[in-house]
Amino acid sequence: MENPIHLLLVAVVQEQDLDAATKAVQTIGASLTYLSSAGGFLGRRNATLLIGLPSEKKSEALAALQQVCRQRIEYMTLPLEGSPMPMPAPVPVTVGGATVFALPVERFEQI
């Protein structure tokens, strides 16, 4: 039996975008699961979505994620070089959006 899933999208989104991203992907008929993860730079909570879909729905899935996963400006204090004290003025950092990897699926079995 031929499996209809030909592509696996791995999308890393901010935790606050998880519900909207899940609903957006489900509206196009793709199946998904998510894993809790954390960012390496700021250490903030993320969600890694594993999205299985036919390859022809790739652009539709990317557009759905783009609509709901927003970039945000957050402020963080950075330590001065050689000083244990953080800088008094916070530095703006752009976070969010979605980082998406598209992987071809050679075989898929549901057991």
Side-chain angles (χ1 to χ4, degrees), residues 1-110:
M1 181 167 101
E2 189 79 18
N3 194 302
I5 296 179
H6 300 287
L7 195 63
L8 175 68
L9 295 182
V10 179
V12 181
V13 303
Q14 282 191 306
E15 189 176 54
Q16 59 258 48
D17 292 332
L18 175 61
D19 288 337
T22 300
K23 289 175 187 170
V25 169
Q26 288 174 335
T27 60
I28 66 166
S31 58
L32 68 92
T33 191
Y34 78 91
L35 309 168
S36 293
S37 55
F41 179 59
L42 297 176
R44 303 282 166 86
R45 288 182 165 181
N46 293 327
T48 301
L49 302 175
L50 304 176
I51 306 164
L53 70 164
S55 55
E56 61 270 5
K57 288 198 173 197
K58 176 184 171 185
S59 59
E60 199 175 339
L62 292 174
L65 289 171
Q66 188 175 24
Q67 286 180 354
V68 298
C69 297
R70 300 282 179 221
Q71 287 191 339
R72 298 165 179 84
I73 302 293
E74 294 191 10
Y75 295 89
M76 63 182 289
T77 55
L78 298 173
L80 291 170
E81 194 169 320
S83 171
M85 301 294 291
M87 286 181 13
V91 177
V93 177
T94 302
V95 297
T99 302
V100 183
F101 302 90
L103 307 169
V105 174
E106 187 174 312
R107 182 177 173 171
F108 171 82
E109 288 187 38
Q110 204 166 7

